[in-house]
Amino acid sequence: MALTKKSLYMLAWCTIAANPLFSDKWLCAETWYRLINARYPTLRYTGQDNASVDRGQLTTALTTYYSSDAASGLENPNGVYYAWFKHDDPYTGKPGRVHYFYYDSTKENKPTPPRSWRDVADPYAKSVQMVERRVQVVRNRNNAEEAKVERSIRALVDKKNKDDNERLIKARNAGSGGLDGMDEDDDDDSNEDDKSNGEEKLNNQNHMGWLSSEAGMLFLGSKDADGDVVDILQERIGNLTKVLQVNGYKSVLQSADDDGAELNDHQKWHIGQKAIYLREAYKLALEKWGNQVNWMSICIEAIDRVKEFGYSSVTSPRTVMDYNKAFRKDGLFPHPCYTIRLGKPPTPQVFEHFPQLPVRIKDFMLKNQAHFSVELLRTELQQDMFPALVDECKKSDGYEQDEGYVLAQHYIDKPPSYSTVEKKVDGKVVEDISLRHMMGKCTDFAEEVSQLEAIGKKLGCSVIITTKYHAEYAGEGIEYSWGLAKCFYRRQPLSKKKKKANFFALVDQCLSQELLTKDMVRKFSKPCLS
DNA sequence: TGAAACCGAAACAGTAGTCA
DNA sequence: TGACTACTGTTTCGGTTTCA
C-alpha cells in the first residue's frame, strides 16, 4: 500500500518511539524531530527545502491523527499521548507553545495527565544525554519495520527528485530559469504521492542500506566515498562485462596504456577471471545485499553461479572479497607488474654515489648466472664490493666526512636485513631495520603537505586544518548549500556525469549562482546565526 | 627458484542487542 | 551504565600451489 508523506513521518516516528530509550517518557517535539533527523537523514529530502524533515507536518500528523490529549484522560489505542504548554522552549529559551509526546510501550500504562510543563520535562532536551543518545539512534539492519520505512523514504525521495527535475525543465522552458519552482508549496501532494507510489517498483536497489557508510566502505573503499553506490556498481558491471571483448581487459586495468604495460596471455586470462567472478558478485549484491544477506554469502553464491558455466579457478569467497578490495576504490584492478603499479622505484642512494656499482653487480650476476642467488650477491656486496668502495674513498683527503664513504662503511657494519613492519626486540623498535619506521622519518613524508594546503599556498593563501566536527562549524549554512548542490547533481542523468569534460561542466553548474542564488544562501545562513 | 595467487585461521575493530 | 555476546568485515600470518 502506498504511503503519504504524513503517514511515512508517522511510521518513522513509531520505529524510534519503540526504542526503550525513548518510550514511556515525555519528550518535546524538538527532541523527536532531532531523533528522526538523526535516524532517517534521507527523510529530509522529502521536505520542501531538503534542509530538514518538515516539522510542521510531523507535529500535525502526531497531534491530529495519531495521539490523544493526555489531559482528556482518554485511552489512546496507539499508546501515543500529547500535551502542550506555553513556556520557554527548552532548546531556544524563547517563550512559546511547546508540544510534548509520550509513547506507552505497554499500551496499558497511560501517563498521568500533566498539570504543568514541569510534569513533562524532557530529560534529553539540550542535554549531554541527548547528544549521547542521538548516536545510538542507528540503523537496525534486522528490523523489518525500519527497512519498510527506509524503502518508502527512498521511493518518496526518488519521486520528489523526478518532480523537481520536471519542474526545473518547465521553468527553464518558460524562461524563468533557476529553481524557483522548488519553493512551491507541495503540502497538498498526498494524492499525487498515492498515485506515484502505487506505480513505484521497489526492489533491493531502493534499500536504504545503499546510502549507508557500510555500503560506501564495502563497495567504494571509503565510508565518505562520494557518489551513488548503486549507480557506480551498475557502471562497473558494464566495464567488467567488456573484459570478455578483445583487449577489453584495458577497461578495468590500472595504467593499461602505459609504456611496457602490455600483459602476457596468462595475465590477460587472470584479469578476465577476476572480472567474471566480481561481475557476478556485484550483480548478486544489487539483487540481495542488505536484506540480511551479507557480502560473504553473496561471494559464495557468485562462485556457485560461475561454476555452472565451467569456471572453477576460485573456490573461496575470500578470494572474491579480495578482488573487490583491489578493485573497489577506482574501479580498476592493479597492474600485475609491481614497477608499473607503483611507478619507477627511486634509485638507491648508494647507486647515486657509486654509479659504477650497478655495473659491477650486473657483471657479477652474469658471471654467476648458473648458481646465482640473492644471498650470494649479498655476501659479495658485504665482503668484496663495499670494502673495495671504502678503499677507493680512503684515497681522498677528508674521506671520513664523505657521504659515499659513510654509506659504504654502513653497509659493511650493518648489512641490510630489513623488516617491513616495525621489528621489536625486548618490546623496543629496532629502528635501523624497520622500514616502516625509517619511511616515517623521511623528510619527504614528515614535511608533506596535503593537496588542499598545496593548492592554497599556490593561490597565495594559507589553509588552516581544523578539527573535524559538524559542518555547521563552517558557518554560513555551507552544508545546506552543498546539500542543495549535491541533490541537484544526483538528479542529473548518468550521461551528464560520464567523461571528464561533462563531469566538470556539471559540477560548475551545481555550484553556479544560477542554482545557489544569493537569496538562497542568505536563507541557509540564517539558522547558523541563531 | 622466486614471486604471485590462493586460502585457512586468528586477531582485531566496529556496531547492535541483552541483561543486571 | 557497563559488561558481555553476536555478527560482519578487515588485516595479518603462514602454508600450499601455480606460474614465469
Side-chain angles (χ1 to χ4, degrees):
Chain A
M1 184 182 159
L3 286 170
T4 63
K5 201 184 292 181
K6 287 189 179 75
S7 55
L8 182 57
Y9 284 174
M10 281 308 313
L11 204 54
W13 185 88
C14 289
T15 61
I16 294 171
N19 187 323
L21 290 168
F22 311 114
S23 60
D24 304 316
K25 49 178 72 77
W26 285 101
L27 301 180
C28 73
E30 179 66 19
T31 299
W32 287 115
Y33 163 78
R34 290 183 181 212
L35 289 171
I36 288 179
N37 259 329
R39 171 59 187 84
Y40 298 108
T42 317
L43 197 58
R44 68 177 61 181
Y45 298 117
T46 64
Q48 289 176 35
D49 56 3
N50 294 338
S52 56
V53 172
D54 189 329
R55 66 179 77 199
Q57 281 203 7
L58 176 66
T59 306
T60 305
L62 274 170
T63 52
T64 312
Y65 303 112
Y66 205 70
S67 59
S68 300
D69 186 349
S72 69
L74 294 174
E75 199 157 308
N76 182 273
N78 303 316
V80 183
Y81 300 88
Y82 81 89
W84 64 268
F85 296 97
K86 279 190 175 178
H87 68 100
D88 291 349
D89 186 290
Y91 281 88
T92 65
K94 293 176 183 172
R97 181 183 291 196
V98 182
H99 287 272
Y100 290 85
F101 298 97
Y102 182 102
Y103 177 63
D104 171 20
S105 61
T106 62
K107 306 279 196 308
E108 293 173 357
N109 299 316
K110 64 176 180 179
T112 310
R115 287 168 297 176
S116 80
W117 66 271
R118 289 179 181 80
D119 294 335
V120 294
D122 181 345
Y124 295 146
K126 209 182 180 183
S127 70
V128 177
Q129 273 200 47
M130 177 59 191
V131 175
E132 289 172 350
R133 295 297 185 198
R134 271 183 72 182
V135 300
Q136 293 187 29
V137 191
V138 292
R139 193 164 65 94
N140 178 356
R141 282 175 289 199
N142 297 325
N143 188 307
E145 277 298 312
E146 292 190 28
K148 184 183 172 189
V149 173
E150 286 167 351
R151 279 197 300 273
S152 302
I153 292 171
R154 179 94 188 195
L156 205 57
V157 170
D158 286 348
K159 180 194 171 293
K160 183 175 180 294
N161 287 344
K162 191 180 161 194
D163 290 349
D164 284 349
N165 227 13
E166 285 171 0
R167 207 171 296 157
L168 183 67
I169 293 165
K170 269 186 195 172
R172 285 218 175 122
N173 290 343
S176 61
L179 281 177
D180 296 346
M182 282 181 69
D183 294 335
E184 290 171 18
D185 186 12
D186 64 350
D187 273 357
D188 298 323
D189 60 356
S190 302
N191 294 333
E192 287 177 32
D193 282 350
D194 289 342
K195 188 183 171 187
S196 173
N197 285 335
E199 293 168 357
E200 187 78 38
K201 188 180 178 183
L202 294 177
N203 55 40
N204 192 57
Q205 292 164 32
N206 295 91
H207 194 277
M208 178 73 175
W210 290 106
L211 302 175
S212 68
S213 57
E214 292 101 309
M217 186 64 216
L218 185 57
F219 295 107
L220 303 182
S222 166
K223 285 180 180 177
D224 307 316
D226 204 7
D228 189 305
V229 179
V230 171
D231 284 350
I232 291 171
L233 277 190
Q234 283 171 337
E235 191 179 346
R236 288 182 179 176
I237 287 170
N239 287 341
L240 290 166
T241 306
K242 289 180 194 166
V243 173
L244 300 173
Q245 300 167 5
V246 178
N247 285 334
Y249 72 90
K250 289 188 176 182
S251 62
V252 292
L253 181 67
Q254 171 208 27
S255 309
D257 293 322
D258 285 7
D259 289 340
E262 183 67 23
L263 301 186
N264 60 33
D265 288 344
H266 175 264
Q267 288 170 332
K268 287 177 189 172
W269 170 85
H270 194 230
I271 292 287
Q273 289 289 296
K274 288 180 179 177
I276 288 166
Y277 283 100
L278 207 48
R279 175 175 168 268
E280 202 60 41
Y282 284 164
K283 282 170 72 179
L284 279 168
L286 289 178
E287 288 173 23
K288 301 180 176 181
W289 183 81
N291 284 329
Q292 299 179 42
V293 179
N294 65 21
W295 177 226
M296 182 175 273
S297 62
I298 283 168
C299 291
I300 291 170
E301 192 173 341
I303 290 169
D304 288 342
R305 277 204 191 182
V306 172
K307 204 173 182 180
E308 292 173 8
F309 294 97
Y311 295 95
S312 57
S313 59
V314 173
T315 56
S316 164
R318 284 285 316 282
T319 305
V320 182
M321 290 162 81
D322 285 345
Y323 291 167
N324 174 52
K325 275 190 273 183
F327 184 79
R328 65 190 175 188
K329 194 175 177 187
D330 46 13
L332 297 170
F333 289 113
H335 198 283
C337 175
Y338 186 77
T339 53
I340 291 174
R341 192 188 308 169
L342 299 178
K344 191 182 174 186
T347 307
Q349 212 177 355
V350 70
F351 285 178
E352 286 181 1
H353 279 281
F354 303 107
Q356 73 276 27
L357 183 59
V359 180
R360 289 181 192 171
I361 290 174
K362 278 181 190 170
D363 288 343
F364 178 79
M365 290 164 70
L366 287 170
K367 280 180 190 170
N368 298 281
Q369 201 171 12
H371 57 280
F372 179 79
S373 71
V374 172
E375 194 56 37
L376 186 68
L377 175 62
R378 187 169 176 270
T379 307
E380 172 68 15
L381 280 166
Q382 192 187 353
Q383 294 182 355
D384 293 319
M385 292 190 186
F386 282 122
L389 291 173
V390 167
D391 290 343
E392 278 179 34
C393 292
K394 282 182 177 175
K395 290 175 185 170
S396 310
D397 293 335
Y399 67 88
E400 286 165 325
Q401 276 73 49
D402 180 55
E403 207 172 338
Y405 167 78
V406 175
L407 262 174
Q409 188 63 49
H410 178 81
Y411 274 100
I412 297 170
D413 297 339
K414 293 180 180 176
S417 175
Y418 298 110
S419 166
T420 53
V421 295
E422 293 189 324
K423 203 82 176 177
K424 288 183 180 177
V425 175
D426 297 333
K428 289 184 178 177
V429 177
V430 185
E431 297 181 357
D432 285 348
I433 59 169
S434 300
L435 289 180
R436 189 175 292 173
H437 178 83
M438 292 165 74
M439 291 292 280
K441 287 183 73 177
C442 288
T443 49
D444 270 8
F445 286 88
E447 295 173 6
E448 182 73 21
V449 295
S450 68
Q451 194 175 14
L452 183 62
E453 289 172 289
I455 293 171
K457 194 177 176 184
K458 199 174 174 182
L459 295 172
C461 57
S462 60
V463 177
I464 300 168
I465 308 295
T466 62
T467 47
K468 294 171 185 173
Y469 283 106
H470 198 277
E472 281 182 359
Y473 270 31
E476 302 304 327
I478 196 166
E479 52 162 341
Y480 298 142
S481 297
W482 285 359
L484 181 64
K486 194 173 175 183
C487 179
F488 178 77
Y489 176 87
R490 291 167 68 94
R491 289 201 304 270
Q492 302 311 303
L494 201 57
S495 58
K496 278 191 168 183
K497 302 170 187 173
K498 284 184 177 175
K499 297 190 178 175
K500 198 175 173 183
N502 291 345
F503 173 73
F504 280 130
L506 181 57
V507 171
D508 286 344
Q509 194 184 350
C510 292
L511 299 173
S512 69
Q513 289 189 2
E514 282 182 14
L515 181 64
L516 295 168
T517 60
K518 276 185 184 174
D519 285 346
M520 202 165 280
V521 172
R522 282 170 184 159
K523 276 182 192 173
F524 288 159
S525 69
K526 276 182 186 173
C528 301
L529 300 173
S530 61

